[in-house]
Amino acid sequence: MAFFLLGASAVQGAYTRVTTFAGGGSTNAFSDPWGLAVTPQGDLIVADLTHHQIKRVSRTGVVSVVAGTGVSGETNGPPTVARFKSPAAVAFDAPRNLIYVADMQAGTIRKIAADGTVSTVATTGLSGPQGLAVDADGILYVADSGNNKIRKITTDGVMTTIAGAGAAGSIDGPALQAKFQQPNGLALSSTGALYIADQKNHLIRKLENGVVSTVAGSGSNGAVDGPPLSAKFTEPRGIVFDADGNLLVADSNNDLIRLVTLGSNPTVTTGPTAWGRTFALRGRFQCGRNSRIFFGLRQWRR
């Protein structure tokens, strides 16, 4: 059996080393980094929330500003002129070389072109978006947290609701009748299913073929491992798939990283509490090259 090593302890899995990738010390490079995305070249794109900027971290750890003056605002244009208002999530569309940004306090979705020019993709109907995912066709998925909905934005900018009735609640079933309560992190599986960290319901949900189902969580808060539907989370936020198809969950108010194994013998296990507390668990996961998992501005490897 392989082991999932976090700090000095082990849980099921195969990761063995945690390191700080960027920031820290007196550099002031970041202030509350939230959303992460990884480029095919291995660079890390970071939503630097309270600096109101989007930054890039090279594979060697060099930090640069992609766009944003550092002053809160909603200005589009060249990267040195554009302003963001608490960007919370990013997604990288590799085939089209685009960065999408969930500009949380502005309630908009922004787009950064290859030359750094910032434009607005969606300007109305969103409330505090906090989760993004993009598929191979360039379709963008948005966790519209304040409206308790999941949205889809096509490449020509048309936004539709694909799940969530709008009222807060916890109901599975047909997507537009289902209910969420502040959906947060999003992750696409290899089969195209969309997994959702349903923060205030303490659940992990799945949207597939027009139906919402609960993957993990009993619906009450806590920190209990075991069979997925008996397990307990407390406000899960970031989620990501690892190279083996398992789901990693940032269980924010428990200060834990949880591992949800799927398949024929699903279960939920937990990394050590002390390890979980070393991260700002409001952040987001991203899976990078060579099976590196990024969280905040730390990484761990196989």
Side-chain angles (χ1 to χ4, degrees), residues 129-151:
Q130 293 189 42
L132 292 178
V134 63
D135 68 16
D137 297 321
I139 303 299
L140 187 68
Y141 299 90
V142 181
D144 188 2
S145 302
N147 286 322
N148 305 304
K149 294 181 178 182
I150 306 301
R151 313 277 199 169

Side-chain angles (χ1 to χ4, degrees):
M1 176 183 289
F3 286 92
F4 190 86
L5 297 179
L6 306 177
S9 303
V11 296
Q12 189 176 8
Y15 297 91
T16 60
R17 194 152 47 98
V18 178
T19 58
T20 297
F21 186 61
S26 60
T27 64
N28 197 33
F30 301 97
S31 178
D32 212 0
W34 275 37
L36 303 176
V38 180
T39 73
Q41 294 74 34
D43 291 348
L44 190 65
I45 307 299
V46 183
D48 194 356
L49 186 89
T50 55
H51 277 162
H52 311 291
Q53 292 176 313
I54 306 304
K55 293 179 177 175
R56 182 186 299 266
V57 185
S58 73
R59 295 182 67 190
T60 58
V62 177
V63 179
S64 59
V65 176
V66 175
T69 66
V71 177
S72 177
E74 302 176 42
T75 305
N76 287 326
T80 55
V81 173
R83 294 183 179 186
F84 298 92
K85 198 172 185 179
S86 299
V90 287
F92 187 70
D93 182 356
R96 284 151 284 273
N97 198 18
L98 298 171
I99 299 171
Y100 289 100
V101 181
D103 207 3
M104 181 173 63
Q105 292 299 324
T108 59
I109 304 301
R110 316 283 290 280
K111 178 175 70 176
I112 305 175
D115 65 358
T117 301
V118 177
S119 59
T120 301
V121 175
T123 59
T124 59
L126 296 172
S127 176
Q130 293 189 42
L132 292 178
V134 63
D135 68 16
D137 297 321
I139 303 299
L140 187 68
Y141 299 90
V142 181
D144 188 2
S145 302
N147 286 322
N148 305 304
K149 294 181 178 182
I150 306 301
R151 313 277 199 169
K152 179 176 78 172
I153 302 176
T154 62
T155 54
D156 56 1
V158 177
M159 184 172 70
T160 55
T161 300
I162 58 171
S170 180
I171 297 176
D172 288 338
L176 295 181
Q177 298 173 29
K179 291 185 178 181
F180 302 93
Q181 190 169 189
Q182 292 187 25
N184 205 300
L186 301 178
L188 283 163
S189 75
S190 60
T191 63
L194 184 67
Y195 286 72
I196 302 153
D198 193 0
Q199 181 182 339
K200 294 295 185 178
N201 281 327
H202 317 296
L203 298 173
I204 306 301
R205 317 283 290 280
K206 179 175 72 170
L207 171 60
E208 187 174 30
N209 298 323
V211 176
V212 173
S213 58
T214 297
V215 173
S218 67
S220 58
N221 65 305
V224 176
D225 290 342
L229 297 183
S230 300
K232 293 184 179 182
F233 303 88
T234 303
E235 299 197 9
R237 298 194 186 199
I239 54 175
V240 70
F241 282 97
D242 69 9
D244 297 321
N246 300 311
L247 196 64
L248 289 151
V249 179
D251 192 4
S252 64
N253 278 17
N254 281 325
D255 299 311
L256 297 172
I257 305 300
R258 314 290 291 279
L259 177 69
V260 182
T261 56
L262 305 172
S264 59
N265 186 30
T267 190
V268 175
T269 53
T270 300
T273 301
W275 184 88
R277 290 183 188 277
T278 68
F279 294 88
L281 290 179
R282 288 175 295 181
R284 307 290 188 272
F285 285 111
Q286 274 291 316
C287 187
R289 297 176 62 176
N290 302 319
S291 299
R292 291 186 297 173
I293 299 292
F294 293 95
F295 190 84
L297 275 304
R298 298 200 178 195
Q299 62 177 322
W300 70 95
R301 301 172 179 259
R302 290 180 183 280

